[in-house]
Amino acid sequence: MLTQFYGFSGRLQHIATEKDDTFLLEAASAKYLVKISSPAEALPDIELQTAAMLHVRDTAPDLPVQLPVAGHDGRFEHRLDVAGYAGRVLRVLTFLPGQLLTDTRPTPAQVRDIGRTAGRLSRVLHGFTHPRQGRTLIWDLRWFDRMRPLLRHISTERGSAVASSVFEQFNEVVVPALPTLPKQVVHGDFSPYNLLVDPGVPGYVRGVIDFGDVVHTARAFDVAVGMANLLCDDPEDPWAKAVEFVAGYLEVRELSDAELRLLATCAQARVVLRILMAQWRAIEDPGRRDYLLSHSVKDWSHLYLAHAVPTPEITARMQAAAAGRHVPAERSHQS
């Protein structure tokens, strides 16, 4: 299929990913990432991802994002008509160098670089439109308040109490503000598994990959995803990296005070959503239960520590970052 559509040949290596069948192709001239879409993924959603990446390429060619590769016919998506793969879509993407962020321990300055990259990408995607941008995506926090029935899958009293508290705070603070929050198309999954880095180069971030969660939603939600993925196990300051991320973001992209006031709640909501999805999938797919729930252990640890910090304290630190000041973490909230 790669030879037919692209004229490529070489060594293929399977890579484990959440939805697609993904392969590393080592061709004679370069490396590529090959994806065969999930049967559940519609072609218009894939076309949205392609269009977003091409928009970044054409608008900000210096931003290190993964890009789609065109086939012989100029198309980026190729529907398959092969036994076992009928209707699925074959794509080839550029392969970017670097180490996954999840395998590193970034310094505060490097976390700021990550925030700056997120801000630059957000700024570039502002104004981008696509017919499929308004799709309903389960990971989009605008639907978070509707996920409350999944709390029944949490088996511990402490976990249920903390997650319920996050829902209450989200419904009280975020839901009423949704109609007025600035909205745009966002990357939607600025996670350590979607960022390639290199400590030895200026700028630190070598690549942003996986545009699979691109959607039109509140700009603040995109920032909250990045924050949620940078919460840590440090009981002294579990929000340290998340605040540095926002500080870097604010160097290149402005956020309103109303958005800043929502970020701590939204970041915790993202962690709760990850936990709930893992719990639900473990029930739906018992064979993967241990694997799925093992990934929730760290999320629970981060959530407990983060939730113990008063939200106004985190907001004050982000407001100080917006004003170019530094406010140290309080030490009296540990639990």
Side-chain angles (χ1 to χ4, degrees):
M1 292 184 287
L2 288 168
T3 301
Q4 175 186 346
F5 294 124
Y6 292 89
F8 289 158
S9 62
R11 178 175 177 269
L12 278 171
Q13 177 185 346
H14 183 259
I15 300 174
T17 50
E18 181 183 2
K19 294 183 298 184
D20 305 310
D21 286 330
T22 306
F23 304 86
L24 170 64
L25 170 64
E26 295 186 65
S29 58
K31 292 181 180 180
Y32 299 94
L33 203 68
V34 178
K35 284 183 173 285
I36 299 177
S37 68
S38 161
E41 193 163 31
L43 178 59
D45 290 344
I46 298 171
E47 291 172 336
L48 166 63
Q49 299 169 36
T50 298
M53 288 184 278
L54 293 176
H55 174 80
V56 177
R57 180 199 68 183
D58 296 339
T59 309
D62 59 323
L63 256 178
V65 301
Q66 193 171 43
L67 296 173
V69 177
H72 289 314
D73 56 5
R75 292 185 297 127
F76 296 98
E77 299 93 10
H78 298 86
R79 275 192 181 276
L80 302 180
D81 186 18
V82 181
Y85 292 91
R88 297 173 69 176
V89 177
L90 173 70
R91 291 181 291 160
V92 174
L93 304 165
T94 54
F95 181 82
L96 300 178
Q99 186 177 9
L100 283 175
L101 176 62
T102 191
D103 297 327
T104 69
R105 296 177 64 86
T107 66
Q110 290 167 342
V111 172
R112 282 206 175 213
D113 283 332
I114 296 169
R116 281 190 284 268
T117 301
R120 290 176 63 202
L121 182 55
S122 173
R123 191 174 61 196
V124 169
L125 288 174
H126 179 70
F128 166 75
T129 61
H130 188 273
R132 189 59 178 157
Q133 68 183 32
R135 63 184 177 148
T136 299
L137 196 67
I138 199 168
W139 293 107
D140 183 357
L141 284 177
R142 64 177 160 160
W143 311 116
F144 176 71
D145 61 313
R146 303 187 186 187
M147 301 297 170
R148 190 160 192 154
L150 294 178
L151 284 172
R152 67 180 182 273
H153 297 312
I154 297 177
S155 58
T156 68
E157 184 176 340
R158 183 188 184 193
S160 181
V162 171
S164 295
S165 175
V166 173
F167 270 103
E168 290 165 8
Q169 193 170 345
F170 190 91
N171 288 340
E172 179 182 340
V173 177
V174 181
V175 172
L178 263 176
T180 58
L181 289 176
K183 297 174 180 66
Q184 66 167 81
V185 172
V186 300
H187 178 271
D189 194 11
F190 225 70
S191 87
Y193 293 95
N194 292 335
L195 291 172
L196 297 163
V197 299
D198 184 347
V201 300
Y204 188 56
V205 179
R206 297 295 305 275
V208 181
I209 63 176
D210 194 350
F211 279 63
D213 285 353
V214 167
V215 70
H216 187 272
T217 191
R219 174 177 63 185
F221 292 165
D222 196 40
V223 183
V225 171
M227 293 176 65
N229 285 303
L230 288 166
L231 294 175
C232 64
D233 286 321
D234 180 5
E236 290 291 309
D237 192 1
W239 288 92
K241 291 180 180 178
V243 171
E244 287 290 351
F245 171 82
V246 174
Y249 185 100
L250 291 170
E251 290 181 20
V252 296
R253 190 88 207 271
E254 186 179 50
L255 292 170
S256 69
D257 191 63
E259 290 174 292
L260 289 174
R261 290 178 182 276
L262 302 177
L263 287 181
T265 299
C266 291
Q268 292 176 76
R270 174 70 178 200
V271 178
V272 170
L273 182 58
R274 278 206 306 260
I275 290 170
L276 293 177
M277 289 298 101
Q279 299 276 352
W280 173 65
R281 286 172 174 170
I283 292 171
E284 294 292 310
D285 187 0
R288 300 181 67 220
R289 175 182 171 81
D290 291 344
Y291 169 81
L292 290 166
L293 295 185
S294 68
H295 282 253
S296 294
V297 173
K298 186 172 288 188
D299 280 335
W300 277 121
S301 172
H302 293 172
L303 180 64
Y304 290 148
L305 289 169
H307 194 66
V309 183
T311 298
E313 177 190 323
I314 305 306
T315 300
R317 291 172 64 185
M318 291 187 292
Q319 289 170 329
R325 296 180 287 107
H326 173 70
V327 175
E330 296 288 343
R331 304 300 181 193
S332 59
H333 50 70
Q334 298 174 33
S335 63

